[in-house]
Amino acid sequence: MEVQYIRRHHNYQPNDNQCFSYLVKHIKAPVDLVWSLVRKFDQPQKYKPFVSRCIVQGEVNVGSLRQVNVKSGLPATTSTERLELLDDDEHILGIRIIGGDHRLKNYSSIITVHPEIIDGRPGTLVIESFVVDVPDGNTETCYFVKALINCNLKSLADVSERMAMQDRVGPVNNV
């Protein structure tokens, strides 16, 4: 199924000066729970560890812009991003970076969320793909983006699985 999802939703036609890739994460949490985190264009800090703050003006719709503040440790402090695609039925979110003080030019990404069964329980297959310009002489851009997405996907899994476990256990009574 993975290959079918990738062919369907993660097809890029990069130029000679661009790189693209996709990353896959299997999460032991139901798809609706994972999607509830991913779809929050206005709250990426819920699972993206390098985001310290996000501001969106008005309602979140395709075309909405967000101003993201990035935590120290990355070669950037801000990013301006536009919501390109939000499909709650198919669980697809697409963004494009349109500004900020970083080197990611013509960056866009698609993240898709798919139900699957993991160890006999409802789980989620998450696929995130991207395309970005590679500056002349810079061979590290793709590696950097892949490392950042891997970190975000690991955090998404950690947060989702913790929430799923709390849902299964229920509230804790303090006696």
Side-chain angles (χ1 to χ4, degrees):
M1 286 301 289
E2 251 175 58
V3 173
Q4 291 174 354
Y5 293 137
I6 292 166
R7 285 186 184 141
R8 183 172 174 203
H9 301 294
H10 302 273
N11 264 335
Y12 294 101
Q13 303 299 322
N15 297 326
D16 290 339
N17 68 327
Q18 293 183 309
C19 69
F20 76 99
S21 190
Y22 64 87
L23 295 97
V24 173
K25 186 71 175 172
H26 300 273
I27 299 177
K28 295 178 180 179
V31 70
D32 290 337
L33 189 152
V34 175
W35 178 244
S36 74
L37 292 167
V38 169
R39 77 165 315 281
K40 290 183 179 176
F41 180 74
D42 58 337
Q43 297 178 26
Q45 66 273 25
K46 293 282 187 186
Y47 75 91
K48 292 185 176 187
F50 296 110
V51 174
S52 62
R53 190 172 116 178
C54 177
I55 299 170
V56 175
Q57 299 296 325
E59 293 291 314
V60 174
N61 296 305
V62 171
S64 293
L65 298 179
R66 69 182 178 193
Q67 300 292 326
V68 175
N69 290 8
V70 180
K71 291 181 181 176
S72 64
L74 292 179
T77 58
T78 63
S79 182
T80 304
E81 303 169 357
R82 181 175 55 229
L83 182 60
E84 298 279 301
L85 176 63
L86 180 62
D87 185 329
D88 284 316
D89 295 327
E90 294 285 325
H91 300 133
I92 306 169
L93 179 113
I95 66 148
R96 176 176 298 278
I97 295 178
I98 61 169
D101 65 348
H102 50 74
R103 298 182 193 156
L104 299 180
K105 304 299 180 216
N106 292 316
Y107 176 92
S108 63
S109 72
I110 301 279
I111 185 166
T112 59
V113 177
H114 313 276
E116 69 175 354
I117 301 298
I118 301 173
D119 299 332
R121 293 184 171 272
T124 303
L125 167 67
V126 179
I127 305 169
E128 186 164 355
S129 61
F130 70 91
V131 63
V132 66
D133 286 359
V134 177
D136 287 339
N138 183 330
T139 58
E140 297 176 5
T141 300
C142 260
Y143 297 112
F144 170 75
V145 173
K146 285 166 55 171
L148 190 63
I149 290 173
N150 263 327
C151 186
N152 288 340
L153 292 177
K154 181 185 181 320
S155 179
L156 176 63
D158 292 345
V159 171
S160 299
E161 290 171 358
R162 189 170 32 253
M163 290 171 67
M165 184 65 73
Q166 289 171 348
D167 287 350
R168 281 196 291 269
V169 172
V172 176
N173 293 329
N174 292 329
V175 181

